[in-house]
Amino acid sequence: MKQKLAYSVDNDNPAERKRFIRGTFDAISPTYDLLNRILSFGIDMRWRRFSVNIPGDLRGKRVLDTCAGTGDSSAVLTKKGAHAVSLDFSLAMLRRGVSTGRVRYPVAADASCLPFREGSFSAVTVSFGIRNIPDINVYIGEVFRVLTAGGDFVILELTRPENPVVKFFYRIYLFGLIPLIGGIISGKFTAYRYLPETIASFVDPEELRGMLEAQGFEQVRVYRKMFGVATVLHGRKAG
Ligand SMILES: C[S@@+](CC[C@H](N)C(=O)[O-])C[C@H]1O[C@@H](n2cnc3c(N)ncnc32)[C@H](O)[C@@H]1O
């Protein structure tokens, strides 16, 4: 089945879409880290540190990094002293994370069907992954379930700036530079056309806030980064 490139919330038939997404990340895994550094100019690491600091002291606590990929955020969590479990459904991405030492406790699974008991983690994170999840409400419900009472959920995602000037240059970057550089370096042109489309069509941060609240998260906060190019959302499961 030919996949529509744009993001869409789909709680009825997410399976086909997930196959496409898993295949996409398996295919780009060899050059994923290199391209991440080139295309983000390293700014992503600053945003990761900001997100991971929101829950406060994580020393000795169990934290689940969902859609962990090659483990950039898992490594930041580990550095903070957390026991970071890295979950992803792309084995190729996880393997790279393990081989670089960033992923210590890998779990291959679908983020919308978490293989953990209720109340297993003090915090759950997702960086640049939630916009790939078609059954997003199911995913958020699962995150809520595996969190302990008082646990934190932190989302870091690429979003759309509102300032018209920034928006103009951002669209050139998104639809011109990313597909070109990503396509040339990885050799996977479809994948690097898909990724910008998901950013352009993903729900906006306020809608995402509503989704978190609808699943029971409280005190949801939204932090815009770099004119809204990225957004961090934080919600807490009532204690
Ligand atoms: C853009 S990468 C982000 C990886 C990493 N978090 C980072 O910050 O670099 C998105 C990751 O989400 C994973 N992913 C997407 N949908 C998923 C799902 N439903 N379950 C588990 N992993 C998923 C993909 O395999 C991919 O590794």
Side-chain angles (χ1 to χ4, degrees), residues 7 9 136 159-160 198 201-208 211:
Y7 171 83
V9 174
I136 187 168
T159 46
R160 298 174 292 273
T198 57
S201 55
F202 188 48
V203 293
D204 68 36
E206 283 308 319
E207 208 176 333
L208 193 50
M211 289 172 161

Side-chain angles (χ1 to χ4, degrees), residues 7-91:
Y7 171 83
S8 74
V9 174
D10 184 355
N11 283 306
D12 296 326
N13 185 22
E16 271 303 314
R17 192 174 190 86
K18 286 185 185 180
R19 256 193 290 280
F20 167 75
I21 293 165
R22 195 171 55 236
T24 299
F25 281 101
D26 279 344
I28 64 173
S29 62
T31 50
Y32 179 83
D33 288 331
L34 172 67
L35 274 165
N36 232 9
R37 294 293 164 270
I38 295 175
L39 295 172
S40 73
F41 311 106
I43 298 168
D44 62 311
M45 288 313 285
R46 212 182 309 156
W47 296 336
R48 289 176 206 279
R49 283 192 290 272
F50 174 86
S51 328
V52 160
N53 278 329
I54 293 176
D57 190 359
L58 289 174
R59 273 174 299 178
K61 297 200 175 145
R62 280 165 58 96
V63 179
L64 178 65
D65 185 23
T66 57
C67 301
T70 57
D72 269 335
S73 290
S74 302
V76 179
L77 286 164
T78 303
K79 210 167 166 197
K80 269 200 77 170
H83 178 105
V85 175
S86 310
L87 180 138
D88 201 288
F89 67 10
S90 162
L91 270 181

Side-chain angles (χ1 to χ4, degrees), residues 51 84 113 115 191 219:
S51 328
C113 185
Q219 304 167 43

Side-chain angles (χ1 to χ4, degrees), residues 10-230:
D10 184 355
N11 283 306
D12 296 326
N13 185 22
E16 271 303 314
R17 192 174 190 86
K18 286 185 185 180
R19 256 193 290 280
F20 167 75
I21 293 165
R22 195 171 55 236
T24 299
F25 281 101
D26 279 344
I28 64 173
S29 62
T31 50
Y32 179 83
D33 288 331
L34 172 67
L35 274 165
N36 232 9
R37 294 293 164 270
I38 295 175
L39 295 172
S40 73
F41 311 106
I43 298 168
D44 62 311
M45 288 313 285
R46 212 182 309 156
W47 296 336
R48 289 176 206 279
R49 283 192 290 272
F50 174 86
S51 328
V52 160
N53 278 329
I54 293 176
D57 190 359
L58 289 174
R59 273 174 299 178
K61 297 200 175 145
R62 280 165 58 96
V63 179
L64 178 65
D65 185 23
T66 57
C67 301
T70 57
D72 269 335
S73 290
S74 302
V76 179
L77 286 164
T78 303
K79 210 167 166 197
K80 269 200 77 170
H83 178 105
V85 175
S86 310
L87 180 138
D88 201 288
F89 67 10
S90 162
L91 270 181
M93 292 287 278
L94 275 182
R95 278 207 187 100
R96 289 199 76 82
V98 170
S99 69
T100 55
R102 294 195 295 255
V103 169
R104 293 195 176 175
Y105 306 102
V107 174
D110 181 351
S112 305
C113 185
L114 296 172
F116 306 106
R117 287 209 193 101
E118 202 172 331
S120 299
F121 295 94
S122 302
V124 176
T125 59
V126 59
S127 49
F128 312 118
I130 197 168
R131 70 174 197 276
N132 292 293
I133 299 181
D135 48 355
I136 187 168
N137 294 313
V138 179
Y139 164 70
I140 296 170
E142 276 290 88
V143 170
F144 191 85
R145 183 182 65 76
V146 302
L147 275 173
T148 52
D152 299 282
F153 181 27
V154 187
I155 300 170
L156 166 60
E157 193 47 275
L158 294 169
T159 46
R160 298 174 292 273
E162 277 166 18
N163 178 300
V165 180
V166 180
K167 201 173 178 172
F168 174 78
F169 287 106
Y170 187 59
R171 286 186 73 83
I172 295 176
Y173 167 75
L174 209 58
F175 295 110
L177 278 181
I178 289 187
L180 183 70
I181 298 175
I184 290 172
I185 294 183
S186 69
K188 312 288 175 194
F189 285 88
T190 309
Y192 279 91
R193 273 203 323 272
Y194 162 78
L195 294 174
E197 286 293 345
T198 57
I199 300 168
S201 55
F202 188 48
V203 293
D204 68 36
E206 283 308 319
E207 208 176 333
L208 193 50
R209 178 211 290 267
M211 289 172 161
L212 293 180
E213 289 170 345
Q215 296 286 340
F217 282 100
E218 295 182 345
Q219 304 167 43
V220 180
R221 293 198 144 190
V222 177
Y223 306 85
R224 286 176 194 274
K225 297 277 149 197
M226 232 178 98
F227 304 101
V229 165

